[in-house]
Amino acid sequence: MKRLAVFLTVLTVVATVGLASAHWWGGAGTWGMGPGWMMGYGAGFCGGPGACFGPYGYDQKFLEETRELRKQLNDKRFEYFEALRDPNTTPETIEKLEKEIYDLQQKLYAKAPRRGYRGFGGPCWTY
């Protein structure tokens, strides 16, 4: 009987802590401390209206200017992963594709807007 009482007590504590933490961390799909914490659902995590590439147009110019470059990078990545999948691909081919992807990334990064990136959350983090 004593074992059952201890088991039920531990189970009750674990369930209470689990429910409290689920509520605290916003169990409804938000990633913040509770529902609507700090400026609303998903604010600052590229989830709210206008975050990152939203209707405010902060990065619209960058996206328009780099459309073809981003398409080339996407195609090159596809080609790279297909080459990795193929057992007949030589290491030289893989190395060549990696270099081409790196060069495309550097071109893209050179054109990227410089904003308040503080090392966490990416440039989409709202302060």
Side-chain angles (χ1 to χ4, degrees):
M1 189 68 171
K2 194 174 185 180
R3 283 181 150 182
L4 180 62
V6 171
F7 174 75
L8 289 177
T9 303
V10 170
L11 184 64
T12 302
V13 169
V14 169
T16 303
V17 169
L19 288 173
S21 65
H23 175 72
W24 178 257
W25 290 104
T30 60
W31 197 78
M33 295 182 185
W37 183 74
M38 261 185 80
M39 300 180 286
Y41 292 101
F45 297 102
C46 296
C52 297
F53 305 112
Y56 301 117
Y58 296 132
D59 296 318
Q60 195 62 37
K61 180 181 174 194
F62 167 73
L63 291 175
E64 289 171 2
E65 289 176 353
T66 60
R67 181 172 191 245
E68 195 58 38
L69 189 59
R70 290 181 294 115
K71 185 179 182 323
Q72 290 173 5
L73 181 58
N74 188 46
D75 292 343
K76 193 58 68 177
R77 284 180 177 159
F78 179 80
E79 186 179 340
Y80 172 75
F81 285 114
E82 285 297 305
L84 284 178
R85 187 184 62 78
D86 185 8
N88 297 326
T89 305
T90 64
E92 293 78 24
T93 303
I94 300 293
E95 191 175 311
K96 178 181 170 244
L97 289 170
E98 287 173 348
K99 169 106 173 77
E100 291 173 1
I101 288 172
Y102 177 80
D103 292 341
L104 287 171
Q105 286 174 335
Q106 293 308 309
K107 288 178 187 177
L108 193 62
Y109 294 154
K111 293 184 180 195
R114 306 288 186 245
R115 292 191 298 177
Y117 176 63
R118 295 184 184 169
F120 60 92
C124 299
W125 182 272
T126 56
Y127 300 106

